[in-house]
Short mmCIF file of all heavy atoms in Angstrom, two decimals:
data_model
loop_
_atom_site.label_atom_id
_atom_site.label_comp_id
_atom_site.label_asym_id
_atom_site.label_seq_id
_atom_site.Cartn_x
_atom_site.Cartn_y
_atom_site.Cartn_z
N SER D 37 -17.47 24.34 -4.83
CA SER D 37 -17.64 23.67 -3.55
C SER D 37 -17.60 22.16 -3.70
O SER D 37 -16.97 21.45 -2.90
CB SER D 37 -18.96 24.10 -2.91
OG SER D 37 -19.20 23.38 -1.72
N ALA D 38 -18.27 21.64 -4.75
CA ALA D 38 -18.28 20.19 -4.98
C ALA D 38 -16.88 19.69 -5.30
O ALA D 38 -16.45 18.64 -4.79
CB ALA D 38 -19.23 19.85 -6.12
N LEU D 39 -16.15 20.42 -6.14
CA LEU D 39 -14.78 20.01 -6.47
C LEU D 39 -13.89 20.07 -5.24
O LEU D 39 -13.05 19.19 -5.02
CB LEU D 39 -14.22 20.90 -7.58
CG LEU D 39 -12.79 20.57 -8.03
CD1 LEU D 39 -12.66 19.12 -8.46
CD2 LEU D 39 -12.38 21.50 -9.19
N SER D 40 -14.08 21.09 -4.42
CA SER D 40 -13.30 21.21 -3.19
C SER D 40 -13.56 20.02 -2.27
O SER D 40 -12.64 19.48 -1.64
CB SER D 40 -13.65 22.51 -2.47
OG SER D 40 -12.96 22.62 -1.25
N GLN D 41 -14.82 19.56 -2.19
CA GLN D 41 -15.15 18.41 -1.35
C GLN D 41 -14.48 17.14 -1.86
O GLN D 41 -14.08 16.28 -1.07
CB GLN D 41 -16.66 18.23 -1.30
CG GLN D 41 -17.39 19.30 -0.50
CD GLN D 41 -18.88 19.04 -0.45
OE1 GLN D 41 -19.32 17.99 0.01
NE2 GLN D 41 -19.66 19.99 -0.91
N ILE D 42 -14.36 17.00 -3.18
CA ILE D 42 -13.65 15.85 -3.75
C ILE D 42 -12.18 15.92 -3.37
O ILE D 42 -11.57 14.92 -2.97
CB ILE D 42 -13.80 15.81 -5.29
CG1 ILE D 42 -15.25 15.48 -5.67
CG2 ILE D 42 -12.86 14.78 -5.90
CD1 ILE D 42 -15.53 15.56 -7.16
N GLU D 43 -11.59 17.12 -3.46
CA GLU D 43 -10.15 17.28 -3.18
C GLU D 43 -9.83 17.09 -1.71
O GLU D 43 -8.72 16.70 -1.36
CB GLU D 43 -9.68 18.64 -3.66
CG GLU D 43 -9.64 18.79 -5.17
CD GLU D 43 -8.94 20.05 -5.62
OE1 GLU D 43 -8.64 20.92 -4.76
OE2 GLU D 43 -8.68 20.18 -6.84
N THR D 44 -10.77 17.38 -0.83
CA THR D 44 -10.53 17.21 0.61
C THR D 44 -10.92 15.82 1.10
O THR D 44 -10.66 15.47 2.26
CB THR D 44 -11.32 18.25 1.43
OG1 THR D 44 -12.73 18.10 1.16
CG2 THR D 44 -10.87 19.67 1.07
N GLY D 45 -11.55 15.02 0.23
CA GLY D 45 -11.95 13.67 0.61
C GLY D 45 -13.31 13.61 1.26
O GLY D 45 -13.75 12.55 1.70
N ALA D 46 -14.02 14.75 1.33
CA ALA D 46 -15.35 14.77 1.93
C ALA D 46 -16.38 14.12 1.02
O ALA D 46 -17.44 13.69 1.47
CB ALA D 46 -15.77 16.21 2.24
N MET D 47 -16.07 14.04 -0.29
CA MET D 47 -16.99 13.45 -1.25
C MET D 47 -16.24 12.42 -2.10
O MET D 47 -15.15 12.70 -2.58
CB MET D 47 -17.59 14.53 -2.16
CG MET D 47 -18.55 14.00 -3.22
SD MET D 47 -19.07 15.31 -4.38
CE MET D 47 -19.93 16.42 -3.25
N GLN D 48 -16.81 11.22 -2.24
CA GLN D 48 -16.22 10.19 -3.09
C GLN D 48 -16.60 10.44 -4.54
O GLN D 48 -17.79 10.53 -4.85
CB GLN D 48 -16.71 8.80 -2.70
CG GLN D 48 -15.95 8.15 -1.56
CD GLN D 48 -16.34 6.68 -1.44
OE1 GLN D 48 -17.45 6.29 -1.75
NE2 GLN D 48 -15.41 5.87 -0.99
N PRO D 49 -15.62 10.55 -5.44
CA PRO D 49 -15.98 10.73 -6.85
C PRO D 49 -16.45 9.42 -7.47
O PRO D 49 -15.96 8.35 -7.12
CB PRO D 49 -14.65 11.18 -7.49
CG PRO D 49 -13.61 10.51 -6.65
CD PRO D 49 -14.17 10.53 -5.23
N SER D 50 -17.42 9.49 -8.36
CA SER D 50 -17.82 8.32 -9.12
C SER D 50 -16.75 8.05 -10.17
O SER D 50 -15.86 8.88 -10.41
CB SER D 50 -19.17 8.57 -9.82
OG SER D 50 -19.04 9.60 -10.79
N VAL D 51 -16.81 6.88 -10.80
CA VAL D 51 -15.87 6.58 -11.89
C VAL D 51 -15.99 7.64 -12.97
O VAL D 51 -14.99 8.17 -13.48
CB VAL D 51 -16.15 5.19 -12.49
CG1 VAL D 51 -15.23 4.93 -13.67
CG2 VAL D 51 -15.98 4.11 -11.44
N ASN D 52 -17.23 7.98 -13.30
CA ASN D 52 -17.48 8.98 -14.34
C ASN D 52 -16.82 10.31 -13.99
O ASN D 52 -16.13 10.92 -14.81
CB ASN D 52 -19.00 9.18 -14.49
CG ASN D 52 -19.35 10.19 -15.55
OD1 ASN D 52 -19.22 9.92 -16.73
ND2 ASN D 52 -19.81 11.35 -15.12
N ARG D 53 -17.02 10.76 -12.75
CA ARG D 53 -16.47 12.06 -12.34
C ARG D 53 -14.96 12.03 -12.27
O ARG D 53 -14.29 13.00 -12.66
CB ARG D 53 -17.06 12.44 -10.98
CG ARG D 53 -16.75 13.86 -10.55
CD ARG D 53 -17.40 14.87 -11.46
NE ARG D 53 -18.83 14.98 -11.22
CZ ARG D 53 -19.68 15.57 -12.06
NH1 ARG D 53 -19.25 16.08 -13.19
NH2 ARG D 53 -20.97 15.63 -11.78
N LEU D 54 -14.38 10.93 -11.78
CA LEU D 54 -12.93 10.83 -11.68
C LEU D 54 -12.28 10.91 -13.05
O LEU D 54 -11.32 11.66 -13.25
CB LEU D 54 -12.54 9.52 -10.99
CG LEU D 54 -11.03 9.27 -10.90
CD1 LEU D 54 -10.37 10.28 -9.98
CD2 LEU D 54 -10.76 7.85 -10.42
N VAL D 55 -12.78 10.13 -14.00
CA VAL D 55 -12.18 10.11 -15.33
C VAL D 55 -12.40 11.45 -16.03
O VAL D 55 -11.52 11.93 -16.74
CB VAL D 55 -12.75 8.94 -16.17
CG1 VAL D 55 -12.18 8.96 -17.57
CG2 VAL D 55 -12.43 7.61 -15.50
N GLU D 56 -13.56 12.06 -15.82
CA GLU D 56 -13.82 13.38 -16.39
C GLU D 56 -12.82 14.39 -15.84
O GLU D 56 -12.29 15.23 -16.58
CB GLU D 56 -15.24 13.82 -16.07
CG GLU D 56 -15.60 15.19 -16.62
CD GLU D 56 -16.98 15.65 -16.18
OE1 GLU D 56 -17.59 14.99 -15.31
OE2 GLU D 56 -17.42 16.69 -16.69
N LEU D 57 -12.55 14.31 -14.55
CA LEU D 57 -11.65 15.26 -13.91
C LEU D 57 -10.22 15.14 -14.42
O LEU D 57 -9.58 16.14 -14.76
CB LEU D 57 -11.69 15.07 -12.39
CG LEU D 57 -10.78 15.97 -11.53
CD1 LEU D 57 -10.95 17.44 -11.91
CD2 LEU D 57 -11.08 15.76 -10.06
N VAL D 58 -9.69 13.90 -14.49
CA VAL D 58 -8.32 13.75 -14.97
C VAL D 58 -8.21 14.11 -16.45
O VAL D 58 -7.18 14.58 -16.91
CB VAL D 58 -7.76 12.33 -14.69
CG1 VAL D 58 -7.64 12.08 -13.20
CG2 VAL D 58 -8.61 11.26 -15.36
N ALA D 59 -9.31 13.90 -17.20
CA ALA D 59 -9.32 14.28 -18.61
C ALA D 59 -9.23 15.80 -18.75
O ALA D 59 -8.51 16.32 -19.59
CB ALA D 59 -10.56 13.75 -19.32
N VAL D 60 -9.96 16.52 -17.89
CA VAL D 60 -9.90 17.99 -17.90
C VAL D 60 -8.49 18.47 -17.56
O VAL D 60 -7.99 19.44 -18.12
CB VAL D 60 -10.92 18.57 -16.90
CG1 VAL D 60 -10.67 20.06 -16.66
CG2 VAL D 60 -12.34 18.37 -17.43
N LEU D 61 -7.83 17.74 -16.65
CA LEU D 61 -6.47 18.12 -16.25
C LEU D 61 -5.42 17.66 -17.27
O LEU D 61 -4.27 18.06 -17.19
CB LEU D 61 -6.14 17.52 -14.88
CG LEU D 61 -7.01 18.01 -13.72
CD1 LEU D 61 -6.62 17.28 -12.44
CD2 LEU D 61 -6.86 19.52 -13.54
N GLY D 62 -5.82 16.80 -18.22
CA GLY D 62 -4.91 16.35 -19.26
C GLY D 62 -3.95 15.27 -18.81
O GLY D 62 -2.84 15.16 -19.33
N VAL D 63 -4.36 14.43 -17.85
CA VAL D 63 -3.50 13.36 -17.36
C VAL D 63 -4.26 12.03 -17.40
O VAL D 63 -5.50 12.02 -17.38
CB VAL D 63 -3.02 13.64 -15.91
CG1 VAL D 63 -2.23 14.92 -15.84
CG2 VAL D 63 -4.19 13.68 -14.94
N PRO D 64 -3.56 10.89 -17.44
CA PRO D 64 -4.23 9.59 -17.43
C PRO D 64 -4.73 9.25 -16.04
O PRO D 64 -4.27 9.81 -15.04
CB PRO D 64 -3.12 8.62 -17.86
CG PRO D 64 -1.86 9.29 -17.41
CD PRO D 64 -2.10 10.76 -17.61
N VAL D 65 -5.69 8.32 -15.96
CA VAL D 65 -6.22 7.88 -14.67
C VAL D 65 -5.10 7.35 -13.76
O VAL D 65 -5.13 7.54 -12.55
CB VAL D 65 -7.30 6.79 -14.87
CG1 VAL D 65 -7.75 6.24 -13.53
CG2 VAL D 65 -8.49 7.36 -15.63
N SER D 66 -4.09 6.72 -14.35
CA SER D 66 -3.00 6.14 -13.56
C SER D 66 -2.24 7.20 -12.77
O SER D 66 -1.56 6.87 -11.79
CB SER D 66 -2.02 5.39 -14.47
OG SER D 66 -1.47 6.27 -15.44
N ALA D 67 -2.37 8.47 -13.14
CA ALA D 67 -1.65 9.53 -12.44
C ALA D 67 -2.07 9.66 -10.99
O ALA D 67 -1.30 10.13 -10.16
CB ALA D 67 -1.85 10.87 -13.16
N ILE D 68 -3.29 9.22 -10.64
CA ILE D 68 -3.73 9.33 -9.25
C ILE D 68 -3.00 8.35 -8.34
O ILE D 68 -2.99 8.50 -7.12
CB ILE D 68 -5.25 9.14 -9.09
CG1 ILE D 68 -5.66 7.71 -9.43
CG2 ILE D 68 -6.02 10.14 -9.91
CD1 ILE D 68 -7.10 7.40 -9.11
N PHE D 69 -2.34 7.32 -8.93
CA PHE D 69 -1.65 6.33 -8.13
C PHE D 69 -0.19 6.69 -7.87
O PHE D 69 0.44 6.11 -7.00
CB PHE D 69 -1.66 4.96 -8.82
CG PHE D 69 -3.04 4.41 -9.03
CD1 PHE D 69 -3.59 4.37 -10.30
CD2 PHE D 69 -3.78 3.92 -7.98
CE1 PHE D 69 -4.85 3.85 -10.52
CE2 PHE D 69 -5.05 3.41 -8.17
CZ PHE D 69 -5.58 3.37 -9.45
N ASP D 70 0.36 7.61 -8.65
CA ASP D 70 1.80 7.79 -8.66
C ASP D 70 2.23 9.21 -8.32
O ASP D 70 1.78 10.16 -8.94
CB ASP D 70 2.37 7.41 -10.02
CG ASP D 70 2.06 5.97 -10.36
OD1 ASP D 70 2.73 5.10 -9.78
OD2 ASP D 70 1.15 5.72 -11.15
N ASP D 71 3.10 9.32 -7.33
CA ASP D 71 3.62 10.61 -6.90
C ASP D 71 4.88 10.93 -7.68
O ASP D 71 5.96 11.08 -7.14
CB ASP D 71 3.91 10.57 -5.40
CG ASP D 71 4.02 11.96 -4.81
OD1 ASP D 71 3.56 12.91 -5.47
OD2 ASP D 71 4.56 12.08 -3.70
N THR D 72 4.76 10.98 -8.99
CA THR D 72 5.89 11.24 -9.87
C THR D 72 5.54 12.39 -10.79
O THR D 72 4.47 12.98 -10.70
CB THR D 72 6.23 10.01 -10.72
OG1 THR D 72 5.10 9.67 -11.53
CG2 THR D 72 6.59 8.81 -9.85
N ASP D 73 6.41 12.75 -11.69
CA ASP D 73 6.14 13.78 -12.68
C ASP D 73 5.00 13.30 -13.56
O ASP D 73 5.18 12.44 -14.41
CB ASP D 73 7.40 14.04 -13.52
CG ASP D 73 7.20 15.19 -14.51
OD1 ASP D 73 6.05 15.61 -14.71
OD2 ASP D 73 8.20 15.65 -15.07
N VAL D 74 3.82 13.87 -13.36
CA VAL D 74 2.64 13.32 -14.01
C VAL D 74 2.60 13.56 -15.51
O VAL D 74 1.86 12.90 -16.22
CB VAL D 74 1.35 13.91 -13.39
CG1 VAL D 74 1.27 13.53 -11.93
CG2 VAL D 74 1.30 15.44 -13.55
N PHE D 75 3.40 14.48 -16.01
CA PHE D 75 3.37 14.76 -17.43
C PHE D 75 4.45 14.02 -18.20
O PHE D 75 4.42 13.97 -19.42
CB PHE D 75 3.49 16.26 -17.69
CG PHE D 75 2.41 17.04 -16.99
CD1 PHE D 75 2.71 18.11 -16.17
CD2 PHE D 75 1.08 16.68 -17.14
CE1 PHE D 75 1.71 18.81 -15.53
CE2 PHE D 75 0.08 17.37 -16.51
CZ PHE D 75 0.39 18.44 -15.70
N ALA D 76 5.43 13.44 -17.50
CA ALA D 76 6.49 12.71 -18.18
C ALA D 76 6.91 11.51 -17.34
O ALA D 76 8.04 11.41 -16.90
CB ALA D 76 7.69 13.62 -18.43
N PRO D 77 5.99 10.57 -17.07
CA PRO D 77 6.35 9.39 -16.28
C PRO D 77 7.33 8.51 -17.05
O PRO D 77 7.27 8.44 -18.28
CB PRO D 77 5.01 8.67 -16.07
CG PRO D 77 4.19 9.10 -17.23
CD PRO D 77 4.60 10.51 -17.54
N THR D 78 8.24 7.87 -16.33
CA THR D 78 9.19 6.98 -16.97
C THR D 78 9.13 5.62 -16.28
O THR D 78 8.58 5.47 -15.20
CB THR D 78 10.63 7.51 -16.86
OG1 THR D 78 11.05 7.43 -15.49
CG2 THR D 78 10.71 8.96 -17.33
N MET D 79 9.73 4.63 -16.91
CA MET D 79 9.75 3.28 -16.36
C MET D 79 10.91 3.09 -15.39
O MET D 79 11.15 2.01 -14.91
CB MET D 79 9.86 2.27 -17.50
CG MET D 79 8.67 2.29 -18.45
SD MET D 79 7.11 1.88 -17.64
CE MET D 79 7.35 0.14 -17.34
N THR D 80 11.65 4.16 -15.08
CA THR D 80 12.80 4.03 -14.19
C THR D 80 12.65 4.86 -12.93
O THR D 80 13.60 5.04 -12.19
CB THR D 80 14.09 4.45 -14.92
OG1 THR D 80 13.94 5.80 -15.40
CG2 THR D 80 14.38 3.53 -16.09
N ASP D 81 11.45 5.42 -12.68
CA ASP D 81 11.22 6.19 -11.46
C ASP D 81 11.45 5.32 -10.24
O ASP D 81 11.12 4.13 -10.22
CB ASP D 81 9.80 6.74 -11.43
CG ASP D 81 9.57 7.82 -12.48
OD1 ASP D 81 10.52 8.56 -12.73
OD2 ASP D 81 8.44 7.90 -13.01
N ASP D 82 12.03 5.90 -9.19
CA ASP D 82 12.33 5.16 -7.97
C ASP D 82 11.07 5.03 -7.12
O ASP D 82 10.52 6.01 -6.65
CB ASP D 82 13.42 5.89 -7.17
CG ASP D 82 13.80 5.15 -5.91
OD1 ASP D 82 13.60 3.91 -5.87
OD2 ASP D 82 14.32 5.78 -4.97
N ARG D 83 10.60 3.80 -6.93
CA ARG D 83 9.42 3.54 -6.10
C ARG D 83 9.77 2.43 -5.12
O ARG D 83 10.27 1.38 -5.51
CB ARG D 83 8.22 3.14 -6.95
CG ARG D 83 7.58 4.28 -7.72
CD ARG D 83 6.42 3.77 -8.57
NE ARG D 83 5.45 3.05 -7.76
CZ ARG D 83 4.37 3.62 -7.20
NH1 ARG D 83 4.15 4.89 -7.39
NH2 ARG D 83 3.54 2.91 -6.48
N PRO D 84 9.49 2.62 -3.83
CA PRO D 84 9.86 1.62 -2.83
C PRO D 84 9.14 0.29 -2.98
O PRO D 84 9.63 -0.73 -2.51
CB PRO D 84 9.49 2.31 -1.50
CG PRO D 84 8.46 3.32 -1.87
CD PRO D 84 8.86 3.81 -3.23
N ASP D 85 7.96 0.28 -3.62
CA ASP D 85 7.20 -0.96 -3.75
C ASP D 85 7.50 -1.70 -5.05
O ASP D 85 6.87 -2.70 -5.35
CB ASP D 85 5.70 -0.67 -3.65
CG ASP D 85 5.22 0.30 -4.73
OD1 ASP D 85 6.02 1.17 -5.12
OD2 ASP D 85 4.06 0.17 -5.16
N VAL D 86 8.46 -1.19 -5.83
CA VAL D 86 8.82 -1.82 -7.10
C VAL D 86 10.28 -2.26 -7.05
O VAL D 86 11.16 -1.50 -6.63
CB VAL D 86 8.61 -0.86 -8.29
CG1 VAL D 86 9.08 -1.49 -9.59
CG2 VAL D 86 7.15 -0.46 -8.40
N SER D 87 10.54 -3.49 -7.45
CA SER D 87 11.92 -4.00 -7.47
C SER D 87 12.30 -4.39 -8.90
O SER D 87 11.46 -4.48 -9.78
CB SER D 87 12.05 -5.22 -6.55
OG SER D 87 11.21 -6.28 -6.99
N GLU D 88 13.58 -4.60 -9.11
CA GLU D 88 14.10 -4.98 -10.42
C GLU D 88 15.03 -6.19 -10.24
O GLU D 88 16.25 -6.06 -10.28
CB GLU D 88 14.83 -3.80 -11.05
CG GLU D 88 15.16 -3.99 -12.52
CD GLU D 88 15.75 -2.72 -13.15
OE1 GLU D 88 16.07 -1.79 -12.39
OE2 GLU D 88 15.87 -2.68 -14.37
N PRO D 89 14.44 -7.39 -9.99
CA PRO D 89 15.26 -8.57 -9.72
C PRO D 89 16.15 -8.96 -10.90
O PRO D 89 17.20 -9.56 -10.71
CB PRO D 89 14.21 -9.66 -9.43
CG PRO D 89 12.98 -9.19 -10.13
CD PRO D 89 13.01 -7.70 -10.01
N ILE D 90 15.70 -8.65 -12.09
CA ILE D 90 16.49 -8.87 -13.31
C ILE D 90 16.50 -7.56 -14.06
O ILE D 90 15.48 -6.87 -14.13
CB ILE D 90 15.85 -9.98 -14.19
CG1 ILE D 90 15.74 -11.29 -13.41
CG2 ILE D 90 16.64 -10.17 -15.48
CD1 ILE D 90 14.96 -12.37 -14.13
#
Side-chain angles (χ1 to χ4, degrees):
S37 175
L39 180 55
S40 178
Q41 289 182 58
I42 291 174
E43 290 190 350
T44 60
M47 179 186 297
Q48 276 191 330
S50 65
V51 176
N52 180 73
R53 189 65 75 195
L54 176 67
V55 178
E56 180 185 8
L57 178 51
V58 294
V60 167
L61 297 177
V63 300
V65 174
S66 60
I68 67 172
F69 298 107
D70 300 284
D71 198 17
T72 61
D73 184 347
V74 298
F75 302 128
T78 69
M79 298 298 289
T80 57
D81 291 325
D82 182 24
R83 286 178 55 92
D85 59 328
V86 176
S87 61
E88 192 174 10
I90 302 172

